[in-house]
Amino acid sequence: MKILAIDTSCDETSVAVTNGAEVLSNVISSQVKQHAKFGGVVPMLAARLHEGRIEKVADLALQRAGLTWSGIDGLAVTYGPGLAPALQVGIAFAKSKSQALNLPLWAVNHMAGHLASVLAVTPGKPVKPFNYPLLALLVSGGHTELVVVESWGQFKIIGQTLDDAVGEAYDKVAKLLGLGYPGGKVLADLAKLGDPYKYDLPVPMHRHKEMNFSYSGLKNAVRLLVEGLGPVLSKQQLLDVAAGFERVAQQHLLEKVGLALDLYPETQGLVAAGGVVANKRLRSRLRKIAHQHGLPIHFPASSKLCTDNAAMIGVAAWLDRQVGKEPADLSRLDRVPDLSLDKNDFTSHL
Ligand code: KG4
Ligand code: ZN
């Protein structure tokens, strides 16, 4: 079944065509430059830009998949979580296409999309199926979640951030180091060149035997460290601060993953997804912890599949459909900006 999937949850206008877990096309039109001058995503600006771009992005997704609308069997769209005005644009577009072309439309949870992103493959490549129950670490600019996946659709959040998300912490620390916005990736690149043990930064919630996360204390500790180092940091100091932050930010994730694996010994595999999983050092540290527990680990196949994209929404819709989720009732489908995986009840909002 060929699905045209849409994600406009934040600042990327994305449309993809998927067939099962195969990605036939995955077009992402980023608005990063337009928001950068405001130092963060402006929801109404995001919505306006999505509106201006969505039709063209959809046409390009079809073209790259070698299809026209007549080759599409169904639609999928993110209905939450995300920025309300931004979500609205994708939903309105999906509804109008669904009506005009008489196509079934599946409403997809964006975080379920990140989870499904690890199954996405290029056409012809084998799909590595999940063995349940799984433990998933979902880490992005908006979320830091540990999720037990009993089976597809049976999600239980066992840990989440109490303040900033880890990707947000990368971006905020990058900003205070003068690396611009969004600077998470730039910061990660600099961290490779520094000494991660030069400065002693505290691992958040180190002694807490629970699986929540907190990044605001670490961000403040970096701010105080930078202020103490003087008005201008030397290049080496900058690299060492970046490396120290990254070591501790990741240590926090690893400690909680370790705790969760001890608490859920029935776990059959680890999934790590979301923008922060584009980070190679995080991947290798997670690989190590999975190996220590004798578990397979699933990552998205590319960094394009880590950050927001519509292909993951198409793959999630395919999984949703396999477990019996019906297409949305268009008259009831609405955005749910604070949608949670815990409430992934397929009928409550639709
Ligand atoms: O999944 P995503 O595109 O957006 C949300 O749904 O939030 O994730 C974006 C986040 C940003 O905060 C960015 O700083 C972070 O992912 N990120 C990284 C790296 N590349 C992107 N964080 C650490 N290391 C990277 N290489
Ligand atoms: Zn996301």
Side-chain angles (χ1 to χ4, degrees), residues 203-238:
V203 179
M205 304 174 80
H206 182 51
R207 288 183 206 290
H208 295 226
K209 291 282 171 231
E210 48 136 321
M211 288 158 296
N212 286 326
F213 302 90
S214 168
Y215 279 97
S216 66
L218 175 59
K219 178 193 64 193
N220 280 333
V222 174
R223 188 174 49 76
L224 292 174
L225 170 64
V226 169
E227 282 168 10
L229 288 172
V232 184
L233 265 58
S234 71
K235 176 85 190 196
Q236 192 57 50
Q237 283 172 329
L238 180 72

mmCIF file of all heavy atoms in Angstrom, residues 203-238:
data_model
loop_
_atom_site.group_PDB
_atom_site.id
_atom_site.type_symbol
_atom_site.label_atom_id
_atom_site.label_comp_id
_atom_site.label_asym_id
_atom_site.label_seq_id
_atom_site.Cartn_x
_atom_site.Cartn_y
_atom_site.Cartn_z
ATOM 1 N N VAL A 203 26.634 15.117 36.632
ATOM 2 C CA VAL A 203 25.674 14.290 35.884
ATOM 3 C C VAL A 203 24.308 14.466 36.554
ATOM 4 O O VAL A 203 24.160 14.201 37.740
ATOM 5 C CB VAL A 203 26.075 12.798 35.888
ATOM 6 C CG1 VAL A 203 25.038 11.964 35.134
ATOM 7 C CG2 VAL A 203 27.455 12.617 35.283
ATOM 8 N N PRO A 204 23.309 14.947 35.815
ATOM 9 C CA PRO A 204 21.996 15.206 36.434
ATOM 10 C C PRO A 204 21.388 13.944 37.043
ATOM 11 O O PRO A 204 21.523 12.851 36.486
ATOM 12 C CB PRO A 204 21.136 15.699 35.266
ATOM 13 C CG PRO A 204 22.093 16.147 34.218
ATOM 14 C CD PRO A 204 23.313 15.301 34.382
ATOM 15 N N MET A 205 20.746 14.097 38.176
ATOM 16 C CA MET A 205 19.956 13.039 38.845
ATOM 17 C C MET A 205 20.726 11.720 38.959
ATOM 18 O O MET A 205 20.148 10.639 38.849
ATOM 19 C CB MET A 205 18.643 12.834 38.075
ATOM 20 C CG MET A 205 17.856 14.114 37.944
ATOM 21 S SD MET A 205 16.407 13.931 36.914
ATOM 22 C CE MET A 205 15.284 13.178 38.067
ATOM 23 N N HIS A 206 22.014 11.872 39.215
ATOM 24 C CA HIS A 206 22.927 10.736 39.208
ATOM 25 C C HIS A 206 22.513 9.654 40.209
ATOM 26 O O HIS A 206 22.567 8.465 39.916
ATOM 27 C CB HIS A 206 24.328 11.266 39.527
ATOM 28 C CG HIS A 206 25.385 10.234 39.508
ATOM 29 N ND1 HIS A 206 25.575 9.359 38.462
ATOM 30 C CD2 HIS A 206 26.330 9.932 40.432
ATOM 31 C CE1 HIS A 206 26.596 8.579 38.726
ATOM 32 N NE2 HIS A 206 27.059 8.882 39.912
ATOM 33 N N ARG A 207 22.111 10.085 41.400
ATOM 34 C CA ARG A 207 21.783 9.106 42.440
ATOM 35 C C ARG A 207 20.303 8.736 42.476
ATOM 36 O O ARG A 207 19.891 7.936 43.303
ATOM 37 C CB ARG A 207 22.210 9.646 43.811
ATOM 38 C CG ARG A 207 23.701 9.643 43.971
ATOM 39 C CD ARG A 207 24.138 10.106 45.350
ATOM 40 N NE ARG A 207 25.472 10.669 45.266
ATOM 41 C CZ ARG A 207 26.582 9.950 45.034
ATOM 42 N NH1 ARG A 207 26.525 8.655 44.899
ATOM 43 N NH2 ARG A 207 27.758 10.540 44.958
ATOM 44 N N HIS A 208 19.524 9.365 41.631
ATOM 45 C CA HIS A 208 18.082 9.096 41.648
ATOM 46 C C HIS A 208 17.796 7.755 40.992
ATOM 47 O O HIS A 208 18.137 7.546 39.841
ATOM 48 C CB HIS A 208 17.300 10.174 40.893
ATOM 49 C CG HIS A 208 17.384 11.519 41.536
ATOM 50 N ND1 HIS A 208 16.283 12.323 41.735
ATOM 51 C CD2 HIS A 208 18.426 12.214 42.041
ATOM 52 C CE1 HIS A 208 16.659 13.447 42.319
ATOM 53 N NE2 HIS A 208 17.960 13.399 42.512
ATOM 54 N N LYS A 209 17.148 6.892 41.725
ATOM 55 C CA LYS A 209 16.830 5.575 41.153
ATOM 56 C C LYS A 209 15.489 5.643 40.407
ATOM 57 O O LYS A 209 14.583 4.860 40.647
ATOM 58 C CB LYS A 209 16.799 4.501 42.248
ATOM 59 C CG LYS A 209 18.172 4.206 42.812
ATOM 60 C CD LYS A 209 18.965 3.301 41.859
ATOM 61 C CE LYS A 209 20.427 3.183 42.301
ATOM 62 N NZ LYS A 209 21.385 3.440 41.255
ATOM 63 N N GLU A 210 15.326 6.630 39.605
ATOM 64 C CA GLU A 210 14.134 6.731 38.763
ATOM 65 C C GLU A 210 14.600 7.160 37.378
ATOM 66 O O GLU A 210 15.744 7.570 37.212
ATOM 67 C CB GLU A 210 13.134 7.734 39.362
ATOM 68 C CG GLU A 210 13.808 9.031 39.763
ATOM 69 C CD GLU A 210 13.047 10.251 39.369
ATOM 70 O OE1 GLU A 210 12.483 10.258 38.271
ATOM 71 O OE2 GLU A 210 13.052 11.217 40.142
ATOM 72 N N MET A 211 13.693 7.088 36.416
ATOM 73 C CA MET A 211 14.161 7.202 35.043
ATOM 74 C C MET A 211 13.799 8.498 34.335
ATOM 75 O O MET A 211 13.798 8.555 33.115
ATOM 76 C CB MET A 211 13.675 5.983 34.261
ATOM 77 C CG MET A 211 14.454 4.755 34.681
ATOM 78 S SD MET A 211 13.634 3.224 34.343
ATOM 79 C CE MET A 211 12.203 3.314 35.363
ATOM 80 N N ASN A 212 13.508 9.549 35.136
ATOM 81 C CA ASN A 212 13.253 10.837 34.500
ATOM 82 C C ASN A 212 14.574 11.540 34.189
ATOM 83 O O ASN A 212 15.635 11.145 34.666
ATOM 84 C CB ASN A 212 12.366 11.700 35.393
ATOM 85 C CG ASN A 212 10.934 11.202 35.378
ATOM 86 O OD1 ASN A 212 10.464 10.709 34.345
ATOM 87 N ND2 ASN A 212 10.244 11.288 36.504
ATOM 88 N N PHE A 213 14.448 12.594 33.402
ATOM 89 C CA PHE A 213 15.626 13.341 32.965
ATOM 90 C C PHE A 213 15.489 14.810 33.357
ATOM 91 O O PHE A 213 14.372 15.308 33.546
ATOM 92 C CB PHE A 213 15.751 13.273 31.430
ATOM 93 C CG PHE A 213 15.847 11.879 30.898
ATOM 94 C CD1 PHE A 213 14.698 11.167 30.551
ATOM 95 C CD2 PHE A 213 17.081 11.263 30.758
ATOM 96 C CE1 PHE A 213 14.780 9.876 30.066
ATOM 97 C CE2 PHE A 213 17.166 9.961 30.264
ATOM 98 C CZ PHE A 213 16.019 9.272 29.922
ATOM 99 N N SER A 214 16.633 15.479 33.459
ATOM 100 C CA SER A 214 16.610 16.917 33.720
ATOM 101 C C SER A 214 17.861 17.525 33.100
ATOM 102 O O SER A 214 18.974 17.016 33.318
ATOM 103 C CB SER A 214 16.594 17.170 35.227
ATOM 104 O OG SER A 214 16.854 18.535 35.468
ATOM 105 N N TYR A 215 17.691 18.571 32.321
ATOM 106 C CA TYR A 215 18.856 19.185 31.676
ATOM 107 C C TYR A 215 19.078 20.649 32.054
ATOM 108 O O TYR A 215 20.090 21.233 31.673
ATOM 109 C CB TYR A 215 18.759 19.035 30.142
ATOM 110 C CG TYR A 215 19.221 17.657 29.722
ATOM 111 C CD1 TYR A 215 18.300 16.637 29.491
ATOM 112 C CD2 TYR A 215 20.568 17.363 29.619
ATOM 113 C CE1 TYR A 215 18.719 15.362 29.153
ATOM 114 C CE2 TYR A 215 21.006 16.087 29.281
ATOM 115 C CZ TYR A 215 20.081 15.093 29.053
ATOM 116 O OH TYR A 215 20.517 13.835 28.737
ATOM 117 N N SER A 216 18.153 21.253 32.817
ATOM 118 C CA SER A 216 18.328 22.681 33.081
ATOM 119 C C SER A 216 19.498 22.924 34.041
ATOM 120 O O SER A 216 20.217 23.912 33.907
ATOM 121 C CB SER A 216 17.032 23.298 33.604
ATOM 122 O OG SER A 216 16.729 22.763 34.852
ATOM 123 N N GLY A 217 19.733 21.999 34.991
ATOM 124 C CA GLY A 217 20.849 22.147 35.930
ATOM 125 C C GLY A 217 22.193 22.062 35.213
ATOM 126 O O GLY A 217 23.107 22.845 35.494
ATOM 127 N N LEU A 218 22.296 21.143 34.276
ATOM 128 C CA LEU A 218 23.544 20.993 33.522
ATOM 129 C C LEU A 218 23.805 22.247 32.688
ATOM 130 O O LEU A 218 24.929 22.756 32.637
ATOM 131 C CB LEU A 218 23.469 19.743 32.626
ATOM 132 C CG LEU A 218 24.652 19.525 31.688
ATOM 133 C CD1 LEU A 218 25.972 19.397 32.446
ATOM 134 C CD2 LEU A 218 24.423 18.284 30.816
ATOM 135 N N LYS A 219 22.742 22.753 32.068
ATOM 136 C CA LYS A 219 22.875 23.975 31.259
ATOM 137 C C LYS A 219 23.375 25.133 32.134
ATOM 138 O O LYS A 219 24.276 25.879 31.754
ATOM 139 C CB LYS A 219 21.500 24.304 30.654
ATOM 140 C CG LYS A 219 21.436 25.558 29.829
ATOM 141 C CD LYS A 219 19.989 25.954 29.558
ATOM 142 C CE LYS A 219 19.248 26.298 30.842
ATOM 143 N NZ LYS A 219 17.794 26.397 30.711
ATOM 144 N N ASN A 220 22.816 25.250 33.348
ATOM 145 C CA ASN A 220 23.256 26.322 34.255
ATOM 146 C C ASN A 220 24.691 26.110 34.707
ATOM 147 O O ASN A 220 25.451 27.071 34.847
ATOM 148 C CB ASN A 220 22.338 26.396 35.480
ATOM 149 C CG ASN A 220 21.069 27.148 35.146
ATOM 150 O OD1 ASN A 220 21.073 28.000 34.243
ATOM 151 N ND2 ASN A 220 19.980 26.824 35.832
ATOM 152 N N ALA A 221 25.062 24.844 34.948
ATOM 153 C CA ALA A 221 26.439 24.551 35.355
ATOM 154 C C ALA A 221 27.414 24.963 34.247
ATOM 155 O O ALA A 221 28.481 25.516 34.522
ATOM 156 C CB ALA A 221 26.586 23.063 35.676
ATOM 157 N N VAL A 222 27.023 24.734 32.991
ATOM 158 C CA VAL A 222 27.884 25.147 31.876
ATOM 159 C C VAL A 222 27.968 26.679 31.833
ATOM 160 O O VAL A 222 29.049 27.249 31.645
ATOM 161 C CB VAL A 222 27.364 24.594 30.524
ATOM 162 C CG1 VAL A 222 28.174 25.162 29.356
ATOM 163 C CG2 VAL A 222 27.411 23.077 30.499
ATOM 164 N N ARG A 223 26.833 27.327 32.063
ATOM 165 C CA ARG A 223 26.824 28.799 32.039
ATOM 166 C C ARG A 223 27.786 29.366 33.096
ATOM 167 O O ARG A 223 28.596 30.244 32.822
ATOM 168 C CB ARG A 223 25.402 29.317 32.261
ATOM 169 C CG ARG A 223 25.264 30.831 32.071
ATOM 170 C CD ARG A 223 23.806 31.293 32.162
ATOM 171 N NE ARG A 223 23.107 30.771 33.331
ATOM 172 C CZ ARG A 223 23.259 31.215 34.563
ATOM 173 N NH1 ARG A 223 24.078 32.216 34.802
ATOM 174 N NH2 ARG A 223 22.591 30.669 35.566
ATOM 175 N N LEU A 224 27.701 28.796 34.322
ATOM 176 C CA LEU A 224 28.573 29.265 35.407
ATOM 177 C C LEU A 224 30.044 28.984 35.078
ATOM 178 O O LEU A 224 30.908 29.816 35.343
ATOM 179 C CB LEU A 224 28.184 28.590 36.728
ATOM 180 C CG LEU A 224 26.809 29.010 37.284
ATOM 181 C CD1 LEU A 224 26.443 28.193 38.509
ATOM 182 C CD2 LEU A 224 26.797 30.512 37.610
ATOM 183 N N LEU A 225 30.298 27.817 34.512
ATOM 184 C CA LEU A 225 31.670 27.458 34.132
ATOM 185 C C LEU A 225 32.218 28.460 33.116
ATOM 186 O O LEU A 225 33.331 28.986 33.274
ATOM 187 C CB LEU A 225 31.675 26.032 33.548
ATOM 188 C CG LEU A 225 32.963 25.559 32.884
ATOM 189 C CD1 LEU A 225 34.116 25.474 33.886
ATOM 190 C CD2 LEU A 225 32.761 24.184 32.222
ATOM 191 N N VAL A 226 31.399 28.760 32.112
ATOM 192 C CA VAL A 226 31.828 29.681 31.049
ATOM 193 C C VAL A 226 32.063 31.079 31.618
ATOM 194 O O VAL A 226 33.075 31.726 31.304
ATOM 195 C CB VAL A 226 30.780 29.702 29.906
ATOM 196 C CG1 VAL A 226 31.046 30.823 28.919
ATOM 197 C CG2 VAL A 226 30.765 28.362 29.187
ATOM 198 N N GLU A 227 31.168 31.521 32.500
ATOM 199 C CA GLU A 227 31.342 32.849 33.122
ATOM 200 C C GLU A 227 32.626 32.889 33.940
ATOM 201 O O GLU A 227 33.356 33.877 33.940
ATOM 202 C CB GLU A 227 30.135 33.176 34.005
ATOM 203 C CG GLU A 227 28.925 33.632 33.183
ATOM 204 C CD GLU A 227 27.627 33.693 34.005
ATOM 205 O OE1 GLU A 227 27.696 33.561 35.253
ATOM 206 O OE2 GLU A 227 26.562 33.847 33.382
ATOM 207 N N GLY A 228 32.921 31.790 34.626
ATOM 208 C CA GLY A 228 34.126 31.707 35.463
ATOM 209 C C GLY A 228 35.404 31.678 34.642
ATOM 210 O O GLY A 228 36.462 32.086 35.118
ATOM 211 N N LEU A 229 35.310 31.197 33.409
ATOM 212 C CA LEU A 229 36.517 31.097 32.581
ATOM 213 C C LEU A 229 36.911 32.446 31.982
ATOM 214 O O LEU A 229 37.955 32.560 31.344
ATOM 215 C CB LEU A 229 36.312 30.069 31.462
ATOM 216 C CG LEU A 229 36.288 28.598 31.907
ATOM 217 C CD1 LEU A 229 35.898 27.684 30.759
ATOM 218 C CD2 LEU A 229 37.628 28.161 32.471
ATOM 219 N N GLY A 230 36.075 33.445 32.175
ATOM 220 C CA GLY A 230 36.452 34.789 31.713
ATOM 221 C C GLY A 230 35.572 35.278 30.598
ATOM 222 O O GLY A 230 34.749 34.522 30.092
ATOM 223 N N PRO A 231 35.742 36.531 30.243
ATOM 224 C CA PRO A 231 34.840 37.112 29.250
ATOM 225 C C PRO A 231 34.955 36.434 27.885
ATOM 226 O O PRO A 231 33.978 36.279 27.194
ATOM 227 C CB PRO A 231 35.252 38.587 29.180
ATOM 228 C CG PRO A 231 36.605 38.666 29.795
ATOM 229 C CD PRO A 231 36.760 37.488 30.713
ATOM 230 N N VAL A 232 36.156 36.010 27.523
ATOM 231 C CA VAL A 232 36.309 35.358 26.212
ATOM 232 C C VAL A 232 37.024 34.016 26.397
ATOM 233 O O VAL A 232 38.077 33.943 27.025
ATOM 234 C CB VAL A 232 37.126 36.237 25.229
ATOM 235 C CG1 VAL A 232 37.192 35.573 23.856
ATOM 236 C CG2 VAL A 232 36.507 37.626 25.111
ATOM 237 N N LEU A 233 36.442 32.968 25.841
ATOM 238 C CA LEU A 233 37.049 31.641 25.942
ATOM 239 C C LEU A 233 38.092 31.442 24.847
ATOM 240 O O LEU A 233 37.902 31.910 23.727
ATOM 241 C CB LEU A 233 35.967 30.562 25.763
ATOM 242 C CG LEU A 233 35.328 29.965 27.018
ATOM 243 C CD1 LEU A 233 34.679 31.038 27.860
ATOM 244 C CD2 LEU A 233 34.313 28.897 26.639
ATOM 245 N N SER A 234 39.177 30.767 25.210
ATOM 246 C CA SER A 234 40.137 30.403 24.162
ATOM 247 C C SER A 234 39.503 29.283 23.342
ATOM 248 O O SER A 234 38.547 28.640 23.795
ATOM 249 C CB SER A 234 41.449 29.910 24.774
ATOM 250 O OG SER A 234 41.243 28.635 25.376
ATOM 251 N N LYS A 235 40.058 29.037 22.178
ATOM 252 C CA LYS A 235 39.523 27.989 21.308
ATOM 253 C C LYS A 235 39.530 26.645 22.059
ATOM 254 O O LYS A 235 38.545 25.890 22.036
ATOM 255 C CB LYS A 235 40.390 27.928 20.039
ATOM 256 C CG LYS A 235 40.036 26.833 19.081
ATOM 257 C CD LYS A 235 38.923 27.231 18.137
ATOM 258 C CE LYS A 235 38.463 26.017 17.375
ATOM 259 N NZ LYS A 235 37.736 26.067 16.267
ATOM 260 N N GLN A 236 40.654 26.378 22.761
ATOM 261 C CA GLN A 236 40.772 25.101 23.471
ATOM 262 C C GLN A 236 39.725 24.996 24.588
ATOM 263 O O GLN A 236 39.110 23.944 24.782
ATOM 264 C CB GLN A 236 42.192 24.950 24.057
ATOM 265 C CG GLN A 236 42.494 23.536 24.557
ATOM 266 C CD GLN A 236 42.325 22.477 23.463
ATOM 267 O OE1 GLN A 236 42.867 22.634 22.364
ATOM 268 N NE2 GLN A 236 41.569 21.416 23.726
ATOM 269 N N GLN A 237 39.518 26.095 25.294
ATOM 270 C CA GLN A 237 38.504 26.084 26.368
ATOM 271 C C GLN A 237 37.118 25.784 25.791
ATOM 272 O O GLN A 237 36.355 25.006 26.351
ATOM 273 C CB GLN A 237 38.489 27.438 27.092
ATOM 274 C CG GLN A 237 39.641 27.611 28.068
ATOM 275 C CD GLN A 237 39.713 29.025 28.635
ATOM 276 O OE1 GLN A 237 39.333 29.995 27.966
ATOM 277 N NE2 GLN A 237 40.198 29.145 29.862
ATOM 278 N N LEU A 238 36.822 26.412 24.660
ATOM 279 C CA LEU A 238 35.532 26.191 24.008
ATOM 280 C C LEU A 238 35.340 24.708 23.651
ATOM 281 O O LEU A 238 34.297 24.108 23.929
ATOM 282 C CB LEU A 238 35.450 27.059 22.743
ATOM 283 C CG LEU A 238 34.170 26.954 21.935
ATOM 284 C CD1 LEU A 238 33.011 27.634 22.662
ATOM 285 C CD2 LEU A 238 34.335 27.588 20.552
#
